[in-house]
Amino acid sequence: MHIDIDTDTCVGAGQCALAAPGVFTQDDDGYSTILPGREDGGGDPMVREAARACPVGAITVSEAVG
């Protein structure tokens, strides 16, 4: 899978980090970011829930192509 965070849309609510703490965290400014090495979601079943939990829809999860 591929995870994308629209940094222009993110408001730093942190719902993604609460839903999938093994994949998402917040940077020094409080905005969501993906943990190093977890860009593909690492098989975490909560990634899609984290995307749904984002109050501004800043996270997109898609299937990897190829």
Side-chain angles (χ1 to χ4, degrees):
M1 86 176 57
H2 176 76
I3 305 166
D4 184 57
I5 299 174
D6 184 342
T7 56
D8 292 330
T9 302
C10 179
V11 295
Q15 296 302 306
C16 58
L18 290 172
V23 176
F24 297 97
T25 189
Q26 289 180 288
D27 65 17
D28 292 339
D29 294 321
Y31 294 104
S32 296
T33 187
I34 301 169
L35 290 167
R38 303 298 288 206
E39 293 82 6
D40 64 354
D44 190 323
M46 294 302 290
V47 170
R48 292 188 189 283
E49 179 58 33
R52 282 190 291 271
C54 180
V56 294
I59 301 170
T60 303
V61 179
S62 57
E63 294 303 318
V65 177

